[in-house]
């Protein structure tokens, strides 16, 4: 049994002498609840560190293994070392957090045996590796993104867009989601929701949005903007899909006050800025309750409601729902493409042909700037089977021999960087 703050020694499997000393970062019960994963020990000193170099540079003594039971007590000073070593029995390999003391060794430092040297190297390496886990780097980036990058006017936002546009640029060092225990962006977002930082709602199957953020959450307090070194970094150009709105006949009266005419495209940020500006300029915010907005005739008409008041969020949602829907697709080295109405995902259809042979028909990809001939050539190389361009209902499709759903989906996600929400599941 141990508790937070108790002293602990770390020793090798064949020697009871302590290779490192520190204190427990959490209690035994808390460690078991976490499945013995995460940071377990705060390390203060390790064998052959700089503090050791300033001393007598004694060799690591050879003591009985952790499970060895001594027969009698002794006044010999070595006995005290043995008892201290037993404190760390069974703790070999526990994950911990490295302290500020470095673990560089000197040429004059000599260990008792090759086995001890190997153990020292192993402990030193492990301490450096677990000093900051990949999970912590990614969570810290999420906190930083919510505090310094994401704005209230950006909500709601797709979790995939939040991760790619806000979280990744806020990472202190490059981290891929697959390198963490989360493995998927959705799992990471669920963790933030469980902490009470964000609220996630499913717009439709497989499409999740962050709708609310608790900016006052304690995890976001004191978070500062990432200070990056000034260096030229080539950013990878990806396809970005942003939901936008069109100013139709129903809402044109409101947006014409800000220079827009019928049919103009408004990004969500621009739309919300105009609504906020209108409410403030007409002093419609309820002085008795800052969460409410008093609705004048124009807002009531735009929102299609007879209510006298509404929350800020309800005003935004109603105005957006009464606008025309469209999507703006930003392509690398090309002009953006605007698609009015719903944006259908890239579809895969498996059919059986003569001789019970399967073929896969891929459609709806040209809206993302992908040429049919180019896609067919890449799929032919990946599948090692024939792929051809065939006519479709609205545009050209690609036909691939065999069931190509899994490999084609991977190609579109990894190489073309199509957002997952717009690639149909196989």
């Amino acid at each position: 049994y141990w508790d937070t703050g108790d002293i602990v020694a770390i020793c090798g499997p064949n020697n009871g002498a302590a290779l490192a000393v520190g204190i427990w970062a959490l209690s035994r019960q808390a460690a078991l609840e976490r499945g013995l994963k995460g940071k377990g020990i705060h390390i203060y000193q390790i064998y052959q560190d700089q503090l050791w170099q300033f001393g007598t540079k004694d060799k690591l003594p050879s003591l009985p293994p952790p499970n060895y039971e001594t027969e009698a007590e002794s006044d010999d000073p070595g006995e005290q070392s043995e008892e201290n070593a037993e404190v760390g029995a069974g703790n070999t390999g526990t994950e911990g957090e490295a302290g500020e003391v470095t673990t560089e060794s000197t040429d004059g430092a000599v260990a008792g045996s090759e086995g001890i040297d190997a153990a020292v190297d192993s402990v030193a390496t492990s301490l450096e590796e677990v000093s900051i886990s990949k999970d912590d780097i990614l969570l810290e980036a999420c906190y930083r993104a919510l505090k310094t990058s994401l704005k209230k006017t950006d909500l709601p936002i797709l979790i995939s867009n939040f991760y790619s546009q806000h979280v990744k640029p806020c990472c202190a060092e490059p981290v891929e989601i697959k390198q963490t225990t989360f493995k998927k962006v959705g799992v990471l977002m669920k963790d933030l929701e469980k902490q009470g930082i964000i609220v996630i709602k499913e717009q439709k199957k497989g499409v999740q949005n962050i709708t609310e953020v608790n900016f006052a959450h304690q995890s976001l307090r004191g978070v500062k903007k990432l200070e990056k070194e000034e260096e030229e970094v080539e950013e990878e150009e990806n396809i970005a899909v942003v939901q936008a709105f069109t100013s139709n006949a129903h809402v044109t009266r409101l947006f014409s006050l800000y220079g827009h005419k019928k049919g103009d495209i408004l990004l969500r940020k621009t739309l919300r800025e105009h609504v906020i500006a209108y409410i403030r300029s007409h002093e419609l915010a309820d002085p008795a309750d800052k969460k409410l907005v008093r609705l004048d005739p124009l807002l009531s008409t735009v929102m299609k409601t007879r209510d006298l008041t509404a929350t800020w969020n309800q005003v935004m949602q109603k105005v957006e729902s009464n606008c025309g829907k469209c999507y703006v697709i930003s392509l690398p080295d090309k002009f953006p493409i605007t698609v009015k109405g719903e944006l259908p995902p890239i579809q895969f259809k498996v059919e059986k042909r003569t001789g019970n042979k399967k073929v896969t028909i891929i459609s709806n990809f040209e809206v993302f700037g992908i040429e049919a001939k180019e896609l067919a050539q890449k799929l032919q190389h990946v599948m090692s089977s024939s792929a051809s361009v065939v006519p479709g209902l609205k545009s050209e499709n690609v036909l691939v021999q065999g069931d190509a759903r899994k490999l084609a989906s991977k190609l579109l996600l990894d190489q073309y960087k199509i957002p997952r929400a717009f690639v149909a599941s196989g």
Side-chain angles (χ1 to χ4, degrees):
Y1 177 82
W2 69 86
D3 204 351
T4 306
D6 286 352
I7 298 174
V8 60
I10 300 176
C11 51
N14 300 317
N15 190 353
L19 294 170
V21 291
I23 62 171
W24 283 103
L26 68 173
S27 65
R28 179 178 182 273
Q29 182 179 354
L32 293 174
E33 288 175 355
R34 297 186 185 183
L36 298 178
K37 294 181 179 179
K39 299 176 183 177
I41 300 173
H42 295 296
I43 299 298
Y44 288 132
Q45 184 182 355
I46 67 170
Y47 177 58
Q48 290 188 353
D49 60 12
Q50 289 183 350
L51 186 60
W52 175 88
Q53 294 178 34
F54 282 112
T56 57
K57 299 183 181 179
D58 292 337
K59 299 178 182 178
L60 194 70
S62 181
L63 299 177
N67 293 329
Y68 181 87
E69 295 182 2
T70 56
E71 296 180 357
E73 296 182 355
S74 172
D75 294 332
D76 184 80
E79 185 71 10
Q80 182 68 25
S81 298
E82 181 176 341
E83 291 176 3
N84 291 338
E86 289 181 344
V87 177
N91 296 331
T92 303
T94 304
E95 293 184 25
E97 183 179 24
E100 296 181 356
V101 181
T102 62
T103 58
E104 296 177 359
S105 61
T106 59
D107 296 336
V110 181
S113 66
E114 293 182 0
I116 292 175
D117 281 337
V120 171
D121 292 340
S122 176
V123 170
T125 302
S126 64
L127 291 176
E128 291 176 358
E129 288 177 350
V130 302
S131 58
I132 302 179
S133 70
K134 300 290 186 182
D135 286 14
D136 290 333
I137 294 173
L138 204 54
L139 282 173
E140 187 70 24
C142 289
Y143 300 152
R144 190 176 291 113
L146 291 168
K147 184 72 174 181
T148 65
S149 178
L150 188 72
K151 298 179 180 178
K152 289 184 179 179
T153 53
D154 294 331
L155 300 175
I157 184 172
L158 286 169
I159 61 173
S160 57
N161 285 349
F162 170 65
Y163 180 76
S164 60
Q165 298 172 15
H166 297 277
V167 176
K168 293 189 78 173
C170 287
C171 279
E173 59 183 74
V175 176
E176 294 297 330
I177 190 72
K178 292 182 180 179
Q179 296 175 327
T180 68
T181 58
F182 300 112
K183 300 301 181 186
K184 295 182 179 179
V185 174
V187 178
L188 173 62
M189 296 300 117
K190 285 292 182 184
D191 185 83
L192 293 175
E193 186 177 40
K194 189 176 180 181
Q195 295 181 47
I197 301 177
I198 63 174
V199 176
I200 298 175
K201 288 187 179 179
E202 192 168 38
Q203 182 179 345
K204 58 183 180 180
K205 189 175 181 181
V207 181
Q208 295 180 319
N209 284 329
I210 298 174
T211 57
E212 295 179 32
V213 177
N214 180 9
F215 292 101
H217 195 276
Q218 60 181 7
S219 297
L220 305 185
R221 294 175 186 172
V223 176
K224 297 181 180 179
K225 194 172 183 179
L226 181 66
E227 295 182 2
K228 294 185 177 180
E229 295 181 2
E230 295 184 0
E231 54 180 12
E232 293 185 2
V233 180
E234 278 190 25
E235 294 185 0
E236 188 176 9
E237 294 184 331
N238 298 338
I239 293 176
V241 181
V242 179
Q243 185 179 4
F245 306 90
T246 57
S247 179
N248 55 25
H250 192 73
V251 298
T252 300
R253 279 186 57 197
L254 173 61
F255 295 118
S256 63
L257 299 175
Y258 301 95
H260 299 287
K261 59 183 183 296
K262 184 180 177 181
D264 283 358
I265 296 172
L266 302 172
L267 295 179
R268 174 176 272 113
K269 182 179 179 181
T270 305
L271 180 148
R272 295 195 167 203
E273 285 175 350
H274 291 336
V275 174
I276 291 171
Y278 179 83
I279 292 172
R280 288 178 176 170
S281 63
H282 290 75
E283 298 181 350
L284 298 178
D286 193 333
D289 189 348
K290 294 182 180 180
K291 295 181 179 179
L292 295 179
V293 176
R294 295 173 297 181
L295 305 182
D296 66 357
L298 178 56
L299 273 183
S300 298
T301 302
V302 172
M303 293 172 60
K304 294 183 181 179
T305 181
R306 295 182 179 179
D307 295 338
L308 298 178
T309 60
T311 64
W312 284 84
N313 198 34
Q314 287 172 340
V315 172
M316 297 301 179
Q317 290 180 351
K318 283 285 187 180
V319 173
E320 288 180 2
S321 64
N322 292 328
C323 290
K325 302 295 186 298
C326 69
Y327 288 86
V328 177
I329 305 172
S330 300
L331 306 172
D333 302 324
K334 295 181 182 179
F335 289 106
I337 298 173
T338 302
V339 179
K340 293 187 176 181
E342 291 297 325
L343 180 62
I346 298 175
Q347 296 285 351
F348 307 102
K349 184 179 180 182
V350 179
E351 295 181 353
K352 289 185 178 180
R353 298 292 171 92
T354 307
N356 203 29
K357 292 182 179 179
K358 292 182 179 180
V359 295
T360 304
I361 301 174
I362 306 171
S363 58
N364 297 339
F365 52 83
E366 288 194 334
V367 71
F368 295 96
I370 302 174
E371 296 181 2
K373 186 177 180 181
E374 176 191 346
L375 180 61
Q377 290 175 345
K378 289 192 175 183
L379 286 170
Q380 186 169 341
H381 176 73
V382 171
M383 292 288 297
S384 298
S385 60
S386 63
S388 56
V389 179
V390 296
L393 293 175
K394 295 182 179 180
S395 59
E396 293 181 321
N397 296 339
V398 171
L399 185 146
V400 186
Q401 297 295 327
D403 188 344
R405 289 175 294 182
K406 187 174 180 179
L407 289 174
S409 176
K410 182 175 175 60
L411 176 71
L412 292 165
L413 292 171
D414 295 347
Q415 291 194 28
Y416 286 100
K417 305 297 181 183
I418 305 295
R420 186 175 292 276
F422 299 100
V423 178
S425 56

